[in-house]
Amino acid sequence: MADRRGLGSGSFAGCLERVASILRASRDSVAFTGAGISTDSGIPDFRGRQGLWKRFDPRMATRSFMLEDPRAFWEFYAMRFEALAGAVPNPGHRALARLEGEGFLGAVITQNIDGLHAKAGSRRVIELHGNIMTSRCDHCGSVRSTEECVRLVRVKGEVPRCGCGGMLRPSVVLFEEPVEMFEAALRISQESDLCLVVGSSLTVYPAAAIPEVVKAAGGKLVIINADPTPLDERADLVVREGASPALAGILRALEIGEI
Ligand code: NAD
């Protein structure tokens, strides 16, 4: 049974000390992050308390919706791009970059499409669901900036098109589309002896299988998330706290400074 902060497992500081000692003992660790690490940068998650799916239908992020109603699809993604474009990394992103820099973390596998891990200085980042800052032609694959596409949507009310006639769409993985980076993420997780989950409901598959793979191969699983997840029961430690204060506390416990 996992220990849980708030369920009789001791103080917050004590809990973070235990994460620090798990990180010290690990040879090859990987962080698996979700929308919850970016809420402190002002980006709403999907399934948390203020989640986007409380206001919008998840069908808007499906391939079939993009093909059926490209204008409404682009209105939705223009809104998402505008919410993400000005965001800057928060202490949680910076702490993971510092953990990598100090040799405590081998890689970050993220479900996020906001690009904030790389902006924070993380070097080995797998963006499982792509990155919203670029768009590509759904027909020939040629790449443009999403900013350019959003300008067309907002100023002219047009669906952005490529010179070849195909529709441009954000370079993100929509529901009903394959997760092309999954194999690379799987290889990293098979070699890892610790998965540090940060800010994910662990409900979107196949991405959420990554922590399960580490655990099934005998590795440790630490979950830092504001709400319960389906994997809590199998975790070695659950920290039910905000990502930024928890990760900042882990840096202090490892004595690698403030962020
Ligand atoms: P999710 O919305 O399903 O779950 C987010 C989890 O984070 C929730 O359980 C919530 O309790 C927790 N959380 C929220 N704020 C937190 C905080 N400050 N500290 C700790 N925990 C916090 O997100 P998911 O699991 O990443 O899966 C949803 C999909 O949403 C992903 O595929 C991703 O591509 C996409 N998404 C990305 C972004 C982004 O790029 N920033 C934003 C929204 C959704």
Side-chain angles (χ1 to χ4, degrees), residues 144-155:
R144 304 288 160 81
S145 86
T146 302
E147 189 175 9
E148 197 183 305
C149 297
V150 167
R151 209 174 306 125
L152 265 179
V153 175
R154 291 299 191 214
V155 177

Side-chain angles (χ1 to χ4, degrees), residues 73 123 127 158 178 209 217:
F73 169 85
R123 289 189 297 268
E127 292 177 316
E158 283 175 15

Side-chain angles (χ1 to χ4, degrees), residues 45-127:
D45 62 13
F46 278 171
R47 296 174 189 78
R49 289 158 210 184
Q50 312 287 325
L52 220 56
W53 294 152
K54 297 211 162 54
R55 288 185 287 137
F56 295 95
D57 185 344
R59 223 180 82 72
M60 298 186 98
T62 60
R63 179 165 181 84
S64 29
F65 186 71
M66 175 182 82
L67 298 174
E68 268 164 46
D69 194 343
R71 192 174 290 254
F73 169 85
W74 259 110
E75 289 289 334
F76 176 65
Y77 271 94
M79 180 274 295
R80 291 215 64 206
F81 171 78
E82 286 156 353
L84 270 56
V88 292
N90 65 52
H93 299 105
R94 294 201 299 274
L96 289 185
R98 176 72 74 88
L99 285 175
E100 185 185 1
E102 298 286 336
F104 287 102
L105 196 63
V108 176
I109 299 173
T110 187
Q111 301 168 91
N112 294 345
I113 57 172
D114 55 30
L116 291 182
H117 285 300
K119 272 194 192 165
S122 286
R123 289 189 297 268
R124 197 172 179 208
V125 183
I126 303 263
E127 292 177 316

Side-chain angles (χ1 to χ4, degrees), residues 9 15 19 33 43-44 68 72 86 91 96 115 146 148 164 168 183 188-189 198 200 219 225-226 254:
S9 63
C15 192
V19 181
T33 68
I43 301 171
E68 268 164 46
L96 289 185
T146 302
E148 197 183 305
C164 81
L168 291 161
E183 287 299 319
I188 290 175
S189 51
V198 187
S200 175
N225 201 57
L254 287 167

